[in-house]
Amino acid sequence: MGRQLQTWRTEGGQKLWLSMLVDAMEEAARPELRSVPCDRLTLAAVRAQLASPASPYGPVSVFSLRN
């Protein structure tokens, strides 16, 4: 799992991540998707996630990568 978290840090991984981000943003910008109301619980969860500070180490896990 630790290996997967580090892939975006390679040049190819950064390009792939950026490409996926652009694809997701283009998909979300489609008028037929923008007109669909968002579930208020989903919206609250997204707001809470965006309000939390970003970690330079990625998501924190209770599991050790040495197992």
Side-chain angles (χ1 to χ4, degrees):
M1 181 162 154
R3 182 179 220 144
Q4 290 177 332
L5 292 176
Q6 297 299 320
T7 18
W8 71 269
R9 292 179 188 222
T10 65
E11 184 178 339
Q14 287 179 352
K15 289 179 182 177
L16 176 62
W17 181 86
L18 184 56
S19 176
M20 291 171 55
L21 176 62
V22 169
D23 288 345
M25 292 175 72
E26 287 176 347
E27 178 74 16
R30 290 179 31 214
E32 60 271 17
L33 286 179
R34 292 184 55 87
S35 65
V36 175
C38 185
D39 177 63
R40 66 179 181 81
L41 295 177
T42 302
L43 193 55
V46 169
R47 283 184 177 139
Q49 179 68 35
L50 291 173
S52 65
S55 170
Y57 306 108
V60 178
S61 174
V62 295
F63 300 103
S64 170
L65 295 176
R66 290 189 263 176
N67 290 343

